[in-house]
Amino acid sequence: MSETPSPGAPETPGAAGFDDMTRDIAEVPAVEVIVTVAVNLMSAAAVKLGLTEEGDKYKDLDEARKLVHALAGLLDASTTEISSFHAAPLRDGLKSLQLAFREASIVPDEPGQGPGEKYTGAVYGK
């Protein structure tokens, strides 16, 4: 059975919106998508680390660990795909998040065992 509706058939609600989104994303360069995802991961990690105005309200170090680790993996995998213009500030942000995680942890991870350190190497606090 064909997935394509016959001419004159009523459209499925939301189908036109999906087509518009597909067209929109098709026009976005890959570097922009990668950077946007990285910034979203950074923002979510900052919230889970309690670094926002709300502070401890949303703090969850287990969730923060996952987000920081995912960010490090994304940056490691995309290093050769994005320019240093984009990569340098993202790496700086990642290191800041890793340090914030280390400071927030009651029982700190061993050097090289913190979130994302598999990709970045050990991050040392003050």
Side-chain angles (χ1 to χ4, degrees):
M1 181 180 262
S2 172
E3 296 284 326
T4 307
S6 60
E11 283 191 28
T12 307
F18 183 74
D19 289 343
D20 290 341
M21 288 186 337
T22 301
R23 266 193 299 279
D24 290 345
I25 199 73
E27 296 169 6
V28 179
V31 169
E32 191 173 327
V33 173
I34 293 167
V35 170
T36 300
V37 170
V39 169
N40 285 328
L41 287 168
M42 291 175 85
S43 298
V47 169
K48 297 297 184 177
L49 284 167
L51 302 177
T52 60
E53 288 181 11
E54 292 87 9
D56 290 344
K57 183 176 179 183
Y58 300 108
K59 190 173 183 176
D60 184 336
L61 294 182
D62 185 49
E63 291 290 301
R65 176 184 294 277
K66 293 171 188 170
L67 293 163
V68 172
H69 189 77
L71 174 62
L74 174 64
L75 294 181
D76 183 58
S78 62
T79 297
T80 59
E81 306 302 326
I82 61 177
S83 66
S84 60
F85 175 79
H86 295 296
L90 293 173
R91 282 192 301 265
D92 290 345
L94 170 61
K95 185 170 183 177
S96 294
L97 291 170
Q98 289 172 313
L99 288 170
F101 185 92
R102 189 165 290 284
E103 290 175 11
S105 296
I106 295 169
V107 179
D109 295 314
E110 291 293 321
Q113 300 301 308
E117 292 182 17
K118 167 183 174 180
Y119 302 106
T120 64
V123 174
Y124 298 95
K126 296 176 184 175

